[in-house]
Every structure is written in C-alpha cells, then in structure tokens.
Amino acid sequence: MSKTKILIVEDEPIIASDVEMILEDLAYEVTGIEDNAIDAKTSIETNRPDLIFLDINLEGDEDGIMLAQDINENYRIPFIFLTSNTDIQTINRVKRTKPKGFIVKPFSEKDFKPVIEIALFSSNNTKEKIATQPDSFFVKTTNGLVKINTNEIFYIQADDNYSAIITSSKKHLVSLTLKKVDEKLSQSNFIRVHRSFIININFINKIKDGFVYIGKKEIPIGRSYQEYLFSKISRL
C-alpha cells in the first residue's frame, strides 16, 4: 500500500524541517517543502499530494488563506492550517476556506496523527460524492506542464515505466507507471480492465468477446477485471 503523500507549505525553514521529520516518523511521504504560493501550486500540479499542511504567513503576495481558496477552486485537495495566528479576524478568514484541520504553533508530534487521519477520512468521503464531476491534472512535457481534462481521456495504456494517455485530441506520454496514474484519477468512470489498460467507461462503444471497444481501439479485458467492469456499466 502506498504512503499518504503530504506537501508542506511553510516559510520558516526550521518549522518546516520539524514538520517533515514528524510526518516521516509517522510513516507519511513528504512530497516537498515550499515557502510561497507560486512554488506550492507548481508542486501540487507535479506531485498531486493527498494532503497539504499550510502556513498562513508565506513569502510573496499570496498568503496561505488565499492559496487555500485557490486549492479549493482548482485542486480539491484537503489542507490543514499550521499557524500561530489565532486572532478572531484570521480565524474568520480561515473558516471560509473550510480547512480539514488546524494546528497551532508551537506543536508536538502527538498533535499530528489524529488531525491527519480525520482529514483524510473526511476528504475520502467527499471525493465519493464528487467523483463523477470533471477534473484535471497536469503532466510534464518538453513544453512545460500541460493540463489534461479527465473528461477528454479515452484510455491510458502502460508502456514499461511510462503511460500513454490517449485523449480526444492527443497522445501524452508520461513518466509514471499505470498504477501511479490510476492513483491520480479519482473519478469513478475510470477503471482498470487489464494490467496494461485503464479506460474511461463513458467512451465505451461496444463490449464483445473479451474486448472493450473505444472508437476503433480494441482493448482486452483481463479475466480478473471482468466482474468489476460489468458492475460499473448500466445494462437493460
């Protein structure tokens, strides 16, 4: 089972290092440490963390609360505020972003595990409710990070340690295994039908003789995946 991935956004290096040490001791994976909103968003797009620890005071023009609003609008990743600011004005701003938790500095290791597990549990329940809504993610190419709308993906095919993402207009080769790509696709319309294929069931044209057809593409259905596939499609 893969570790929960957590991004730290904190402008005080010593505190960020302490948080990283605590999270790693608790067996979480730290995907990065950023001290400003711009770099934090790049890290989110690249690494797609499961959870974000977010300080309110950050380097640059955008503070943690403004970044939290952006995360809600564009990434839908749960976040926990980590701050020493507890004045009523700040608390009122924080509440409007609907964080999954709040840890006050100074902190201790025992403060982290309960709030993380509750945040992840709450977030997973929320994802089930919004799983059919359109989403997007970014892939790294020679031209930089390219945004892919998941509702345009036909299927994803494994290619050794790479994956080919086939959309309505283009093929994107990404340096991720099919398992890693699968972890990034939260929508229920994406399912594994073979050890080498993930498909978008919204684009299935036909299922016949052990194959799924998406457009002109013939995709094999692995024996262990058949039952789950048929449970996900509507039949009369």
Side-chain angles (χ1 to χ4, degrees):
M1 185 176 179
S2 58
K3 292 183 178 181
T4 296
K5 299 185 295 183
I6 301 179
L7 170 66
I8 301 169
V9 186
E10 167 64 63
D11 69 340
E12 297 184 52
I14 293 176
I15 292 177
S17 180
D18 287 344
V19 174
E20 180 181 31
M21 188 180 304
I22 288 171
L23 295 177
E24 290 179 345
D25 285 346
L26 293 171
Y28 299 112
E29 177 186 345
V30 175
T31 63
I33 298 175
E34 307 296 347
D35 64 3
N36 66 86
I38 293 175
D39 289 341
K41 282 182 273 192
T42 299
S43 182
I44 291 169
E45 292 165 355
T46 303
N47 299 309
R48 299 301 289 185
D50 303 302
L51 183 68
I52 301 169
F53 270 97
L54 188 57
D55 188 15
I56 290 177
N57 296 319
L58 299 176
E59 297 289 334
D61 297 329
E62 190 173 348
D63 69 9
I65 297 175
M66 296 165 67
L67 175 57
Q69 292 167 339
D70 199 358
I71 291 169
N72 281 335
E73 292 173 5
N74 297 302
Y75 305 108
R76 296 206 301 268
I77 296 172
F79 52 87
I80 295 169
F81 279 110
L82 181 68
T83 184
S84 57
N85 295 2
T86 57
D87 60 279
I88 189 63
Q89 183 178 0
T90 299
I91 294 298
N92 285 336
R93 287 185 66 207
V94 164
K95 287 192 297 185
R96 287 194 287 270
T97 67
K98 299 181 180 179
K100 294 298 183 182
F102 195 94
I103 293 179
V104 178
K105 303 173 187 176
F107 49 76
S108 65
E109 182 170 337
K110 65 181 176 60
D111 296 326
F112 282 76
K113 186 72 172 181
V115 73
I116 290 173
E117 294 304 311
I118 291 171
L120 293 172
F121 178 79
S122 174
S123 175
N124 287 336
N125 285 344
T126 301
K127 282 181 180 179
E128 289 181 4
K129 296 177 183 178
I130 64 174
T132 59
Q133 295 180 6
D135 198 359
S136 62
F137 59 90
F138 287 77
V139 295
K140 185 179 289 187
T141 71
T142 55
N143 294 319
L145 292 171
V146 177
K147 186 176 183 179
I148 297 179
N149 293 319
T150 53
N151 59 359
E152 295 180 355
I153 296 174
F154 288 170
Y155 61 91
I156 304 103
Q157 183 174 1
D159 186 359
D160 291 328
N161 288 325
Y162 291 81
S163 295
I165 301 175
I166 311 301
T167 70
S168 54
S169 60
K170 198 171 182 180
K171 173 182 176 180
H172 301 275
L173 189 66
V174 298
S175 57
L176 293 172
T177 64
L178 196 64
K179 181 178 183 296
K180 288 292 185 183
V181 174
D182 196 15
E183 291 171 357
K184 294 177 182 291
L185 296 171
S186 61
Q187 291 93 333
S188 60
N189 52 299
F190 287 99
I191 64 170
R192 193 86 169 255
V193 295
H194 187 273
R195 60 186 176 85
S196 298
F197 287 94
I198 296 169
I199 67 167
N200 185 342
I201 61 175
N202 292 334
F203 290 108
I204 294 175
N205 301 123
K206 180 174 67 174
I207 300 175
K208 183 181 179 182
D209 298 332
F211 290 91
V212 167
Y213 293 82
I214 295 180
K216 296 180 180 180
K217 180 67 176 180
E218 183 182 72
I219 298 171
I221 305 171
R223 185 174 300 176
S224 62
Y225 300 95
Q226 287 182 1
E227 184 176 348
Y228 184 65
L229 169 62
F230 286 117
S231 74
K232 300 295 291 185
I233 61 175
S234 297
R235 291 186 289 173
L236 295 179

